[in-house]
Amino acid sequence: MVDLSTTTVLAAEGGQSNFLVPNGTFFFVLLIFLIVLGVIAKWVVPPISKVLHEREAMVYKTAEDNRRAAKLRAAADADYRRVMGEARREATNVREEARAEGRKIVEEARARANAEVSTVLQHANEELGQQSRALTVELQTSVENLAANLASRVLGVDVTTRTVPVSTGQGR
């Protein structure tokens, strides 16, 4: 009988190794893996975790800020609409007041113009009346002279006009 320990050693030397049986390289690689895993867990993961948590907090804060900004925008929009409505009403009132004042000014100007027109017409009527009376007197004198000349020519006798007081034509 052959010793098993020597056959195992001989088999190992012959290049025939069983992959199910761990050898020293496996344990060495396992030890390095665990050391690298420990280093990563100790010094790499916490800063990355911290950055991720900060980023998550920043995203949450941004979402909250967006919601708050949306509420403020809605409130500002409502205030804007309210103020614009009031401004429109006030502008309408100012326009109506200006129109009423304009109508009042136009009516006053029209009344003054009518008064001026009536005054000018009255003066024109008085002046025309005076001119008419003066023309009437002048025409009466001229007609009397023409009538005397015509009568002198027709009759062949010199007919002179008597001094007749000239009437203003009011008695006829």
Side-chain angles (χ1 to χ4, degrees), residues 5-21:
S5 61
T6 40
T7 55
T8 310
V9 172
L10 290 176
E13 288 176 8
Q16 302 270 338
S17 68
N18 188 356
F19 69 91
L20 293 175
V21 178

Side-chain angles (χ1 to χ4, degrees), residues 134-150 161 166:
L135 275 174
T136 304
V137 169
E138 186 179 320
L139 286 176
Q140 273 184 345
T141 306
S142 175
V143 167
E144 286 176 6
N145 288 336
L146 287 174
N149 281 341
L150 185 60
T161 58
V166 178

Side-chain angles (χ1 to χ4, degrees), residues 20 73 105 114 124 126 131 137 166-167:
L20 293 175
R73 186 178 183 283
I105 290 171
N114 285 339
E126 288 174 3
Q131 287 177 358
V137 169
V166 178
S167 66

Side-chain angles (χ1 to χ4, degrees), residues 68-89:
R68 201 169 330 131
K71 287 180 184 177
L72 288 175
R73 186 178 183 283
D77 192 37
D79 286 345
Y80 168 78
R81 291 176 191 272
R82 180 182 52 81
V83 168
M84 285 303 290
E86 290 173 4
R88 285 187 185 109
R89 283 189 293 277

Side-chain angles (χ1 to χ4, degrees), residues 26-73:
F26 172 77
F27 290 114
F28 182 72
V29 170
L30 180 65
L31 179 65
I32 291 174
F33 175 74
L34 291 176
I35 290 172
V36 168
L37 187 65
V39 167
I40 288 175
K42 176 91 173 162
W43 287 292
V44 175
V45 171
I48 292 175
S49 253
K50 181 180 175 187
V51 168
L52 288 176
H53 287 300
E54 287 174 358
R55 180 176 166 89
E56 186 178 317
M58 192 182 313
V59 166
Y60 178 75
K61 184 178 182 286
T62 302
E64 278 297 313
D65 288 345
N66 287 343
R67 280 193 288 271
R68 201 169 330 131
K71 287 180 184 177
L72 288 175
R73 186 178 183 283

